[in-house]
Amino acid sequence: MVNQQFAGEDERFVRRYDYEDGWVVAADVGVADDRLTADVVDGTAIVLVDGRTELEFDVPGSADGVDTNNGVLVVRGER
């Protein structure tokens, strides 16, 4: 497993985990799940809070799933 970690302009942490058969990107958005929506378009995850763009980050491929839990966004994909 490879773990990459970085903070964007807004100092939010995004971590990427690469596995043999897939990948996971986790972003700590820090807001309640009911205020958070996300979608992946052309290799970019777009995170909205209360309908406004809060964060964008690249993902290493097409996403198989997008989930939120306690303000953490998790995007999963296969290789």
Side-chain angles (χ1 to χ4, degrees):
M1 172 177 73
V2 175
N3 177 1
Q4 296 178 341
Q5 166 176 176
F6 58 95
E9 293 175 14
D10 56 3
E11 297 301 316
R12 295 221 169 111
F13 285 97
V14 177
R15 290 185 178 159
R16 180 173 135 190
Y17 302 91
D18 290 308
Y19 301 99
E20 208 172 286
D21 60 346
W23 52 267
V24 174
V25 177
D28 185 359
V29 182
V31 299
D33 293 350
D34 62 344
R35 296 178 53 206
L36 181 66
T37 57
D39 198 5
V40 177
V41 179
D42 294 329
T44 301
I46 303 167
V47 182
L48 304 174
V49 174
D50 296 331
R52 302 179 85 170
T53 301
E54 184 73 18
L55 177 67
E56 293 184 19
F57 56 89
D58 293 332
V59 295
S62 60
D64 293 333
V66 178
D67 300 303
T68 60
N69 188 12
N70 293 327
V72 176
L73 173 73
V74 178
V75 182
R76 293 179 178 81
E78 293 183 9
R79 294 221 176 264

